[in-house]
Amino acid sequence: MTIVADLSPDTAAEVARIIELRGCSFTDFAIEAIERAVAAESEFMAFIQEGIDDLEAGRVVDHATVMAELDQRIAKHEARCGR
């Protein structure tokens, strides 16, 4: 697949600086950057889907329960820190 993209002058300059420091080609840098972005986006989408699946299956915790647990954790932390 071939991709053509217009980068802003600032972004292009930063890319040029990075590839010079890393000693790689623009193509290698672009491929790595796209692969990282795809992996991160795929992981995020899977995380969102897990939440949707839990919601649809009724695996939820109500707001009051979550807040009560957070309050307990905060109190425990404050006691440990001497507040």
Side-chain angles (χ1 to χ4, degrees), residues 6-33:
D6 290 323
L7 301 176
S8 72
D10 289 345
T11 300
E14 188 65 9
V15 168
R17 184 183 76 78
I18 292 168
I19 63 175
E20 183 177 337
L21 290 170
R22 290 179 59 183
C24 66
S25 70
F26 178 82
T27 299
D28 289 341
F29 178 81
I31 289 169
E32 182 182 332

